[in-house]
Amino acid sequence: MDGTSKAWLALILRDYSQAFIRPILRRYVFGGEMVRGATNSDCVKLAALSIKVWLDTYARQGIKTEYAEYVLSTFTTAYFFEILNAAKYRLFVSEEDEVLQGYVLANLESHYQTPSNGFEVEKLYIDSSFKGKGLGRKLLNEIENQFGSKYWLYTWVENESNGFYEHLGFSRIGLLTFEFAGALIENNVYQSAHT
């Protein structure tokens, strides 16, 4: 077999592997869902999922005007398109059969107090239908595999995700407080467990 034939065979096998073998392995060996880098075609689903998760988390007593205005003005397709095209951000999604289950957003340039605390995981949003299935851990593992295990994040002190981070061995290293709609919102700051 000459060099050209070998090159064509390699391309055919690569395409065959991507089209047929990988999806089978994902579904039957790795549990079905896939973690991958987000693309521009994900932006509309990312916006919808973000609105859903944010409201599920913060609108515990119903949807107030300030909540609606915030999510509709913040979580837009344009917002995610801008993030995907900014060098400092990395966004990974978990999906199965084209259904977006969750995502993780890292800001590689954001630091808490000092760069020695690593980069920031700005968002880890999982659709409530898929919580408890290991997706959060898989998304964080993808971030660690790509960018290292030294990172920090913050979460509202009343958010159930505090238990998730503590279960993973994260250390609470501080508090961040910010104002939203006239109220002070306290957030626990966590350091990744594998630092």
Side-chain angles (χ1 to χ4, degrees):
M1 183 179 282
D2 66 12
T4 304
S5 298
K6 287 180 184 178
W8 277 106
L9 181 60
L11 285 173
I12 292 168
L13 288 174
R14 184 198 69 198
D15 291 344
Y16 179 80
S17 170
Q18 289 176 347
F20 300 105
I21 307 282
R22 286 183 186 168
I24 291 169
L25 287 174
R26 269 198 316 270
R27 168 140 314 178
Y28 298 105
V29 178
F30 299 117
E33 67 277 335
M34 172 178 56
V35 173
R36 61 168 176 77
T39 65
N40 290 339
S41 64
D42 295 314
C43 289
V44 70
K45 291 191 284 188
L46 288 164
L49 176 66
S50 297
I51 291 169
K52 182 177 191 255
V53 170
W54 197 96
L55 290 173
D56 285 349
T57 302
Y58 298 104
R60 293 180 169 183
Q61 291 147 356
I63 298 177
K64 298 178 181 180
T65 301
E66 56 267 23
Y67 294 169
E69 288 172 348
Y70 176 77
V71 297
L72 293 174
S73 66
T74 301
F75 300 120
T76 64
T77 303
Y79 166 80
F80 284 101
F81 183 78
E82 192 173 308
I83 283 174
L84 290 177
N85 290 288
K88 69 179 183 178
Y89 289 111
R90 298 296 186 277
L91 200 155
F92 294 91
V93 298
S94 174
E95 74 170 0
E96 181 176 9
D97 297 326
E98 298 182 26
V99 173
L100 182 65
Q101 301 165 318
Y103 72 88
V104 62
L105 172 64
N107 181 338
L108 303 177
E109 296 178 8
S110 176
H111 305 289
Y112 177 69
Q113 297 178 339
T114 171
S116 67
N117 285 320
F119 60 90
E120 179 185 5
V121 170
E122 281 193 16
K123 290 179 179 55
L124 177 60
Y125 280 10
I126 306 295
D127 187 311
S128 59
S129 302
F130 302 102
K131 283 189 175 178
K133 299 180 185 219
L135 298 180
R137 186 181 306 224
K138 285 181 183 177
L139 287 163
L140 289 174
N141 285 343
E142 186 65 27
I143 288 290
E144 291 179 8
N145 290 338
Q146 296 283 333
F147 307 107
S149 59
K150 193 162 199 136
Y151 57 91
W152 66 279
L153 54 84
Y154 68 89
T155 188
W156 180 37
V157 294
E158 296 183 34
N159 193 330
E160 67 183 19
S161 65
N162 285 282
F164 170 72
Y165 298 121
E166 290 164 3
H167 174 75
L168 292 181
F170 282 49
S171 301
R172 197 172 80 115
I173 60 170
L175 275 175
L176 278 179
T177 303
F178 59 87
E179 187 270 332
F180 178 79
L184 290 178
I185 310 296
E186 284 193 340
N187 296 272
N188 289 320
V189 179
Y190 291 98
Q191 178 77 56
S192 57
H194 309 292
T195 59

